[in-house]
C-alpha cells in the first residue's frame, strides 16, 4: 500500500513507473509476436511431418498388401496344374512357400465342395517362424464364410473386413483369390490371413519412434467404420467411429472420418476427446481404410511455454532493476518540482503574496519554470482583484436576467399543456425559447363568448426581443371583447415604430373568434399564414400580407375574416418550425409541417401539437436549436346558444376537504359555459363562503352528513341552490355590517354573507321539509 501511495504522490515515481510499464509493454508485445510466429511455424512443421508419416504408413501397408496379393495371384497357374494332377502334397508345399515369403498368419486354399465332400488346407505360421499345414474336411464349413462366398459369387479378388480368427483368436483380414478353370467355373479359393496387430502395432511403434512431437497417436478405421488401430485398445474392432464420436461429444471426429471414407485427404485442427488436435488424414486405396495421425496442439506449445516462462522471469527481473535505476535518476532531477508544487498549492489557496523560492540554479527549463511561476503569481494577484469586481457585476446581471426570464414566462401559458378546453372551443399551445429569454409569444383570452388570441415573433434574440414581447403581451391582455384585431396591430405598430433606433420589428397574427357564430376576424402583420384543417384536408388560410409591426409608423394594415364551422381546427406557428435545421443544415420546411398536420388532423389539439413536436425532434435529432419554436392549435367545437339550459348537482360531506372538490365543480361549469375568468372568480368565492358556513355551523355534532349544491343555467341566469339538513339558520336575516366603521369598532361576523350578497344578484333563504335551502342567482351578460 505504501508503494502505491508513493507512486500516486511522487512525480519521479509516476514517470519511472510509466517508463517501466511502457517499455515492458512494448518488449512484451514484440516478444509475444515472435513467440506466436514461432508457434505457428512449429504447427506448420508438425503438419508437414504428420503428412509425410501418413504417406509412409500408407506406403508400408500398401507394400504388405501388394506383396500378399502378388504372391497369391502368381500361384494361380501353378495351383491349377497341381489341382489337375491331384497332387495334394505339392499344393501344401506351395502354400507353405507363400507363407514364408509374406508377413502373414496363414495361407490356405479351399476347394469347391462336391456334394458333401469339402476340403481345405491351412499353412499356419507359428510365432517362432515354423510353418505347419493343417487339413480340414467335413467338420469345417468354410464355404459359408465371406472369404469364400464373395469370390465364388463375383469371381474376383476380395479383402474381408477385420474379424477374430478361430485359430489364433486375433483380429485379422483375409485376401481371397478365386481359381477359375477353362470352363469359367471356380474350382477353389486361394488366400492368406494378415493379423491386424502385425500392421497396426508396427505403425504405432513407428509413430512413437519417429514422430518429432511426443503424444502423437495413430487411428485406423475400416471401410465399415470400425476401429483397426486406436490409442484405447478396447475400442479396436469393438466400436465404430460414429458411436465413439457421439459418446465422447466429438462431432468433428465423425466429420473427418466421413471425409476419409469418401476418399478425401488433408489436414485440419479439430477438438478430439476434449483436446485441440492437429489431424492429418488420408485413405488407403487398396483396402479403403482411413488413417489418421493426431498430434495434441498443447504438446507443440509446451516446449515454447517453458522457454517463455523462463525468459519472461529473467526479463521481468531485468526490468525491475532498470526501473529502479530510472527512478533514482528522475528523482534527483525532479527535486525542483517539489518546490514548485508547494508554491502552486499556496497560490491555489489564494496566497499571492509569498514569492516562489529559487534555492537552486540549474540553468535549464526547470529554473525558467520557477521564474515564470513567480511572474504568474503577481499577475494572478492583479487579475484576482479585477475579477472580484467583474464577478459582482456579472452576478447582478445574471440575477436580473433570471428575473426577466421568470417575468417573461409568467406572461405566457408555457407550462400548461391544455390551455383552454370546453364544449365550444379548445386551445393548446407550445413555446420553447432558444435562449433563456426569447422573442416568440402567444396568448389567448376568453371574454363574453369571444376567443381572442395572438402569436408573434420579435426580430433578434435575448433581452431586447423579450422586452418587445412583454410589451406586446401586456397590450393584448388590456383589450376587451369588443376590440378589433386591427386596432391592436395598429397600436403595437405605432408604439414600436416610435423611437425605434435598433430597427426592431415583430411579426404578428391577432385574431378574434366569436363562439356564437364561428366568425373569425384576424390581422396578419408579416407572419407565416395560418393552416386550416377542415374535412380531412389542410390548406393555408388566404390573408393580406401586411408588413411586420415596427417598420413604418403610419402603415395601413388590413383585416381578414373567415367563418369557421364546428369541427374546424387552425394551426398558428412561428418560423422556428419550418426553418429548423438538421445536422445536414437541411430545413424542416412548411411542406413537412403540412404533412405532419394532415397525418394527425383527426387528433385533438394537444395530440396535433405533440405529433408535430415528435416529428420535428425526429428530423433535427441532435442539431442545436437556433430559433424559438412556438405553435398554437385551436379547435372550434360548437356554437354557443343563448337558449341552452344546463343543470348540474354535486353532493358533499361536512368536511373542509370537500371545498376543493366543489371549487373544481364550479370551475368546470365556468369552462363549459365559457364564462369570463374574473366573473368565475367572484362566483367561486361566494359559493365557497356559503359552503364553508354550512360545514362549520350546520352540524354541531360533526357527524358525516350529506349536503348538496344544484346549479341551473337558463336565459343567461346561473342559479345556485345549497341544501343541508343541519340546524335551521337564515343567513340572509342578519343585518349587513357597517363597512365604514373602523375594524376595531366593527362587530365580529356578517362579512361572509355580505360578500355573497355583493357578488350575486339575488340571495334568498327558505326552510323546507326540515332542510335549509339557500338560493343564489347570478345574471350573465348576453353572449
Amino acid at each position: 500500500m505504501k508503494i502505491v501511495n508513493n507512486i500516486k504522490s511522487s512525480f519521479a515515481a509516476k514517470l519511472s513507473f510509466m517508463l517501466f510499464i511502457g517499455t515492458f509493454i512494448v518488449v512484451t508485445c514484440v516478444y509475444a509476436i515472435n513467440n506466436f510466429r514461432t508457434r505457428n511455424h512449429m504447427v506448420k512443421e508438425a503438419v508437414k511431418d504428420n503428412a509425410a508419416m501418413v504417406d509412409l504408413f500408407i506406403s508400408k501397408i500398401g507394400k504388405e498388401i501388394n506383396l500378399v496379393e502378388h504372391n497369391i495371384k502368381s500361384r494361380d497357374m501353378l495351383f491349377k496344374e497341381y489341382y489337375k494332377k491331384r497332387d495334394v502334397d505339392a499344393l501344401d508345399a506351395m502354400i507353405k512357400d507363400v507363407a514364408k515369403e509374406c508377413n502373414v498368419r496363414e495361407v490356405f486354399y479351399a476347394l469347391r465342395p462336391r456334394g458333401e465332400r469339402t476340403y481345405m488346407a491351412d499353412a499356419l505360421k507359428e510365432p517362432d517362424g515354423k510353418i505347419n499345414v493343417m487339413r480340414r474336411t467335413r467338420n469345417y464349413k468354410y464355404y459359408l464364410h465371406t472369404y469364400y462366398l464373395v469370390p465364388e459369387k463375383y469371381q474376383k479378388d476380395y479383402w474381408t473386413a477385420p474379424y477374430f480368427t478361430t485359430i489364433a483368436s486375433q483380429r485379422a483380414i483375409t485376401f481371397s483369390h478365386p481359381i477359375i478353370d477353362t470352363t469359367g467355373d471356380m474350382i477353389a479359393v486361394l488366400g492368406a490371413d494378415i493379423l491386424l496387430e502385425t500392421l497396426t502395432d508396427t505403425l504405432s511403434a513407428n509413430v512413437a519412434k519417429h514422430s518429432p512431437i511426443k503424444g502423437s497417436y495413430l487411428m485406423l478405421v475400416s471401410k465399415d467404420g470400425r476401429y483397426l488401430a486406436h490409442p484405447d485398445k478396447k475400442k479396436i474392432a469393438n466400436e465404430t467411429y460414429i458411436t465413439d464420436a457421439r459418446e465422447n461429444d466429438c462431432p468433428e471426429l465423425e466429420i473427418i472420418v466421413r471425409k476419409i471414407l469418401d476418399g478425401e485427404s488433408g489436414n485440419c485442427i479439430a477438438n478430439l476427446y476434449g483436446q485441440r488436435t492437429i489431424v492429418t488424414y488420408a485413405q488407403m486405396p487398396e483396402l479403403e481404410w482411413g488413417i489418421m495421425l493426431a498430434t495434441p496442439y498443447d504438446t507443440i506449445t509446451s516446449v515454447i511455454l517453458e522457454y517463455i516462462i523462463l525468459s519472461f522471469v529473467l526479463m521481468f527481473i531485468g526490468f525491475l532493476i532498470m526501473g529502479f535505476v530510472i527512478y533514482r535518476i528522475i528523482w534527483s532531477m525532479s527535486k525542483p518540482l517539489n518546490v514548485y508544487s508547494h508554491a502552486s498549492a499556496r497560490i491555489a489557496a489564494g496566497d499571492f503574496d509569498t514569492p516562489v523560492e529559487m534555492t537552486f540554479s540549474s540553468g535549464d527549463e526547470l529554473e525558467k519554470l520557477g521564474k515564470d511561476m513567480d511572474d504568474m503569481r503577481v499577475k494572478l494577484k492583479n487579475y484576482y482583484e479585477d475579477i472580484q469586481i467583474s464577478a459582482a457585476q456579472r452576478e447582478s446581471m445574471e440575477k436580473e436576467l433570471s428575473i426577466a426570464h421568470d417575468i417573461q414566462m409568467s406572461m405566457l401559458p408555457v407550462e400548461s399543456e391544455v390551455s383552454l378546453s370546453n364544449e365550444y372551443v379548445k386551445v393548446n399551445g407550445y413555446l420553447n425559447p432558444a435562449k433563456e429569454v426569447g422573442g416568440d409569444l402567444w396568448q389567448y383570452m376568453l371574454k363574453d363568448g369571444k376567443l381572442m388570441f395572438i402569436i408573434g415573433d420579435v426580430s433578434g434574440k435575448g433581452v431586447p426581443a423579450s422586452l418587445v414581447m412583454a410589451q406586446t403581451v401586456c397590450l393584448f391582455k388590456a383589450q376587451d371583447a369588443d376590440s378589433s384585431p386591427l386596432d391592436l396591430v395598429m397600436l403595437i405598430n405605432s408604439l414600436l415604430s416610435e423611437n425605434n433606433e435598433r430597427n426592431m420589428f415583430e411579426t404578428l397574427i391577432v385574431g378574434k373568434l366569436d363562439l356564437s357564430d364561428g366568425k373569425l376576424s384576424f390581422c396578419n402583420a408579416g407572419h407565416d399564414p395560418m393552416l386550416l384543417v377542415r374535412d380531412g384536408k389542410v390548406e393555408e388560410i388566404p390573408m393580406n400580407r401586411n408588413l411586420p409591426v415596427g417598420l413604418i409608423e403610419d402603415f395601413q394594415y388590413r383585416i381578414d375574416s373567415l367563418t369557421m364551422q364546428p369541427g374546424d381546427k387552425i394551426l398558428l406557428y412561428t418560423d422556428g418550425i419550418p426553418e429548423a435545421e438538421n445536422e445536414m443544415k437541411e430545413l424542416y420546411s412548411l411542406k413537412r409541417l403540412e404533412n405532419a398536420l394532415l397525418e394527425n388532423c383527426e387528433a385533438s389539439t394537444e395530440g396535433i401539437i405533440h405529433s408535430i413536436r415528435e416529428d420535428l425532434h425526429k428530423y433535427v435529432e441532435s442539431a442545436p436549436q437556433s430559433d424559438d419554436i412556438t405553435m398554437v392549435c385551436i379547435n372550434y367545437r360548437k356554437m354557443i346558444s343563448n337558449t341552452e339550459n344546463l343543470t348540474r348537482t354535486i353532493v358533499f360531506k361536512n368536511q373542509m376537504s370537500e371545498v376543493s372538490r366543489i371549487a373544481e365543480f364550479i370551475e368546470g361549469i365556468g369552462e363549459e359555459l365559457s364564462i369570463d375568468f374574473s366573473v368565475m372568480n367572484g362566483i367561486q368565492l361566494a359559493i365557497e363562503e356559503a359552503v364553508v358556513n354550512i360545514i362549520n355551523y350546520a352540524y354541531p355534532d360533526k357527524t358525516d352528513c350529506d349536503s348538496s349544491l344544484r346549479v341551473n343555467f337558463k336565459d343567461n341566469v346561473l342559479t345556485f341552490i345549497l341544501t343541508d339538513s343541519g340546524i335551521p339558520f337564515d343567513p340572509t336575516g342578519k343585518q349587513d355590517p357597517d363597512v365604514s366603521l373602523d375594524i376595531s369598532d366593527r362587530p365580529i361576523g356578517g362579512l361572509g354573507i355580505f360578500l355573497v350578497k355583493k357578488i350575486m344578484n339575488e340571495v334568498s333563504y327558505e326552510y323546507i321539509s326540515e332542510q335549509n335551502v339557500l338560493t343564489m342567482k347570478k345574471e350573465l351578460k348576453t353572449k
Side-chain angles (χ1 to χ4, degrees):
M1 191 66 183
K2 186 177 180 180
I3 295 175
V4 174
N5 291 333
N6 288 337
I7 292 176
K8 289 182 178 180
S9 61
S10 172
F11 168 76
K14 286 182 180 178
L15 183 57
S16 302
F17 181 75
M18 292 174 63
L19 288 173
F20 172 79
I21 293 298
T23 307
F24 183 79
I25 291 174
V26 172
V27 174
T28 302
C29 290
V30 174
Y31 189 71
I33 292 172
N34 288 334
N35 286 325
F36 177 76
R37 294 180 62 186
T38 302
R39 184 182 62 182
N40 288 344
H41 177 72
M42 289 189 66
V43 170
K44 291 179 181 179
E45 290 300 317
V47 170
K48 290 181 181 179
D49 293 340
N50 286 358
M53 290 189 67
V54 167
D55 292 339
L56 178 62
F57 296 156
I58 292 176
S59 176
K60 285 187 176 184
I61 294 175
K63 288 181 180 180
E64 294 287 342
I65 297 301
N66 291 334
L67 181 62
V68 172
E69 290 184 358
H70 174 72
N71 277 280
I72 293 296
K73 290 192 286 186
S74 65
R75 264 65 174 191
D76 184 283
M77 297 300 296
L78 189 60
F79 183 91
K80 291 177 182 178
E81 181 181 344
Y82 293 155
Y83 175 79
K84 187 176 181 180
K85 294 178 180 180
R86 297 291 191 270
D87 190 347
V88 177
D89 293 334
L91 290 173
D92 293 345
M94 180 189 69
I95 62 176
K96 287 179 69 176
D97 291 340
V98 175
K100 290 178 182 179
E101 296 176 8
C102 300
N103 188 14
V104 296
R105 177 67 180 88
E106 66 175 303
V107 180
F108 67 89
Y109 66 88
L111 301 181
R112 182 176 182 180
R114 297 183 181 277
E116 295 183 358
R117 293 176 58 191
T118 60
Y119 184 81
M120 179 178 181
D122 299 302
L124 301 175
K125 182 185 290 186
E126 301 297 336
D128 59 0
K130 186 178 179 180
I131 299 174
N132 298 316
V133 177
M134 181 175 63
R135 296 171 180 172
R136 310 180 190 215
T137 56
R138 295 177 181 273
N139 294 332
Y140 185 63
K141 299 180 181 180
Y142 57 83
Y143 50 82
L144 299 179
H145 290 268
T146 55
Y147 64 78
Y148 181 88
L149 291 173
V150 173
E152 179 187 35
K153 182 176 181 180
Y154 297 103
Q155 293 190 358
K156 65 178 182 178
D157 298 340
Y158 174 67
W159 279 99
T160 66
Y163 65 94
F164 276 93
T165 64
T166 56
I167 298 177
S169 297
Q170 292 178 305
R171 290 175 292 274
I173 56 175
T174 299
F175 175 71
S176 301
H177 173 68
I179 306 298
I180 311 299
D181 62 10
T182 55
T183 62
D185 294 329
M186 188 187 79
I187 58 176
V189 171
L190 179 62
D193 297 342
I194 300 177
L195 296 179
L196 287 181
E197 283 76 359
T198 304
L199 296 175
T200 59
D201 290 349
T202 301
L203 295 179
S204 297
N206 285 332
V207 171
K209 181 178 180 181
H210 299 292
S211 177
I213 302 173
K214 296 180 180 180
S216 298
Y217 56 89
L218 184 72
M219 288 191 289
L220 285 177
V221 183
S222 65
K223 61 183 178 180
D224 62 355
R226 287 185 293 174
Y227 285 124
L228 305 179
H230 196 278
D232 184 358
K233 299 293 184 181
K234 296 178 182 179
K235 297 181 183 291
I236 298 176
N238 295 323
E239 191 169 349
T240 66
Y241 72 92
I242 296 177
T243 57
D244 184 29
R246 296 179 181 178
E247 288 176 1
N248 292 282
D249 192 20
C250 296
E252 293 174 88
L253 173 62
E254 185 175 347
I255 294 172
I256 293 172
V257 177
R258 288 187 184 277
K259 289 182 178 180
I260 297 172
L261 297 181
D262 288 340
E264 297 184 28
S265 61
N267 305 287
C268 68
I269 297 178
N271 186 10
L272 300 184
Y273 306 111
Q275 280 187 314
R276 194 180 181 200
T277 307
I278 299 174
V279 181
T280 302
Y281 56 90
Q283 187 186 67
M284 289 185 248
E286 295 85 359
L287 302 176
E288 297 182 4
W289 289 355
I291 181 170
M292 290 186 294
L293 184 57
T295 301
Y297 196 87
D298 293 341
T299 60
I300 298 175
T301 58
S302 60
V303 177
I304 300 177
L305 183 62
E306 294 176 2
Y307 168 73
I308 290 174
I309 294 174
L310 177 60
S311 58
F312 188 81
V313 170
L314 295 176
M315 182 179 67
F316 187 75
I317 294 173
F319 270 111
L320 289 178
I321 296 173
M322 181 188 70
F324 177 75
V325 173
I326 292 174
Y327 170 73
R328 294 300 300 178
I329 294 173
I330 295 176
W331 178 80
S332 63
M333 296 178 63
S334 61
K335 284 183 179 180
L337 294 178
N338 293 326
V339 177
Y340 300 153
S341 176
H342 293 301
S344 62
R346 292 195 305 270
I347 294 173
D351 181 7
F352 302 117
D353 298 323
T354 304
V356 178
E357 299 178 10
M358 300 293 294
T359 58
F360 51 86
S361 178
S362 59
D364 55 13
E365 292 87 349
L366 290 176
E367 182 179 358
K368 185 177 183 300
L369 176 61
K371 294 179 180 179
D372 292 341
M373 284 187 66
D374 197 56
D375 292 340
M376 178 185 69
R377 174 189 63 83
V378 176
K379 293 179 180 179
L380 280 174
K381 181 180 179 181
N382 299 331
Y383 177 74
Y384 182 71
E385 293 173 353
D386 295 338
I387 203 171
Q388 282 183 314
I389 299 174
S390 62
Q393 296 173 346
R394 184 174 63 253
E395 182 179 358
S396 176
M397 291 179 60
E398 290 177 351
K399 186 178 297 184
E400 293 175 358
L401 186 61
S402 177
I403 294 173
H405 170 76
D406 295 340
I407 294 174
Q408 180 189 22
M409 292 299 104
S410 66
M411 302 178 71
L412 303 176
V414 177
E415 299 298 331
S416 177
E417 277 291 334
V418 178
S419 301
L420 171 63
S421 178
N422 59 44
E423 62 178 308
Y424 304 105
V425 68
K426 189 169 185 180
V427 181
N428 275 84
Y430 171 75
L431 188 151
N432 184 21
K435 294 184 177 181
E436 188 171 3
V437 289
D440 275 13
L441 64 101
W442 80 277
Q443 188 55 273
Y444 76 96
M445 292 187 298
L446 185 62
K447 290 185 177 181
D448 298 335
K450 296 178 178 63
L451 175 69
M452 306 175 70
F453 58 89
I454 185 173
I455 187 171
D457 183 4
V458 183
S459 63
K461 301 291 182 293
V463 175
S466 68
L467 293 176
V468 174
M469 181 277 294
Q471 182 184 31
T472 302
V473 173
C474 290
L475 291 173
F476 172 79
K477 287 185 175 181
Q479 303 302 302
D480 55 34
D482 297 326
S483 298
S484 167
L486 179 62
D487 296 336
L488 179 59
V489 171
M490 296 285 286
L491 175 61
I492 296 173
N493 180 60
S494 176
L495 294 176
L496 186 59
S497 300
E498 185 178 356
N499 298 323
N500 189 7
E501 296 179 357
R502 290 178 173 268
N503 294 320
M504 297 188 68
F505 61 90
E506 180 180 12
T507 65
L508 289 174
I509 291 182
V510 180
K512 182 169 68 173
L513 174 62
D514 192 332
L515 301 183
S516 63
D517 56 12
K519 183 177 180 180
L520 172 65
S521 57
F522 59 93
C523 182
N524 182 354
H527 201 79
D528 294 293
M530 296 184 291
L531 298 178
L532 173 66
V533 179
R534 174 180 290 176
D535 299 330
K537 298 179 181 180
V538 176
E539 59 183 9
E540 288 188 8
I541 298 177
M543 57 184 67
N544 291 301
R545 295 299 182 94
N546 301 307
L547 288 177
V549 295
L551 295 178
I552 301 177
E553 184 175 359
D554 56 353
F555 183 80
Q556 296 300 312
Y557 289 87
R558 290 169 292 177
I559 194 168
D560 297 282
S561 63
L562 170 71
T563 300
M564 295 188 67
Q565 301 173 4
D568 286 355
K569 301 183 184 78
I570 56 174
L571 180 72
L572 301 91
Y573 57 92
T574 59
D575 58 7
I577 297 178
E579 295 179 5
E581 296 180 345
N582 59 15
E583 295 178 348
M584 304 298 294
K585 300 298 182 182
E586 297 169 336
L587 297 181
Y588 181 77
S589 77
L590 178 60
K591 183 65 176 178
R592 180 158 182 152
L593 174 61
E594 291 177 350
N595 290 337
L597 179 59
L598 181 62
E599 291 175 2
N600 300 275
C601 62
E602 298 298 329
S604 62
T605 54
E606 62 265 36
I608 288 175
I609 288 182
H610 177 74
S611 299
I612 294 175
R613 288 175 59 186
E614 289 292 319
D615 188 60
L616 184 64
H617 177 72
K618 179 180 178 182
Y619 181 81
V620 300
E621 295 181 338
S622 60
Q625 182 179 339
S626 59
D627 196 2
D628 302 338
I629 293 175
T630 306
M631 53 183 154
V632 182
C633 188
I634 301 173
N635 179 202
Y636 179 49
R637 293 179 168 184
K638 61 180 291 189
M639 298 180 180
I640 293 178
S641 174
N642 292 332
T643 61
E644 186 173 9
N645 297 333
L646 177 143
T647 301
R648 299 286 186 271
T649 303
I650 183 172
V651 178
F652 59 93
K653 301 286 186 181
N654 58 321
Q655 298 174 1
M656 291 302 295
S657 59
E658 295 284 82
V659 175
S660 60
R661 192 164 69 89
I662 294 172
E664 292 178 359
F665 171 72
I666 298 299
E667 184 179 349
I669 292 175
E671 291 182 354
E672 190 172 356
L673 297 176
S674 301
I675 301 175
D676 186 80
F677 181 74
S678 60
V679 176
M680 282 308 302
N681 273 345
I683 293 174
Q684 281 187 315
L685 183 61
I687 298 299
E688 180 179 336
E689 185 65 35
V691 169
V692 170
N693 189 56
I694 292 174
I695 292 174
N696 288 334
Y697 305 111
Y699 303 97
D701 54 1
K702 301 297 183 182
T703 57
D704 287 341
C705 298
D706 290 336
S707 302
S708 66
L709 171 64
R710 186 170 75 252
V711 181
N712 293 327
F713 175 70
K714 185 176 183 181
D715 297 330
N716 290 327
V717 176
L718 266 175
T719 304
F720 300 89
I721 303 173
L722 265 173
T723 304
D724 68 85
S725 57
I727 60 175
F729 176 72
D730 180 9
T732 63
K734 195 169 184 178
Q735 185 177 0
D736 293 339
D738 187 357
V739 296
S740 63
L741 295 177
D742 188 79
I743 295 178
S744 59
D745 299 329
R746 195 183 306 161
I748 300 174
L751 288 176
I753 190 63
F754 177 73
L755 176 65
V756 173
K757 291 178 179 179
K758 287 295 183 182
I759 294 175
M760 296 296 184
N761 298 104
E762 181 181 339
V763 180
S764 62
Y765 169 81
E766 293 180 283
Y767 190 74
I768 305 173
S769 301
E770 298 183 352
Q771 286 187 322
N772 296 302
V773 180
L774 181 66
T775 303
M776 298 167 285
K777 294 184 178 181
K778 179 69 175 178
E779 294 182 6
L780 303 178
K781 292 182 179 181
T782 303
K783 297 183 177 61

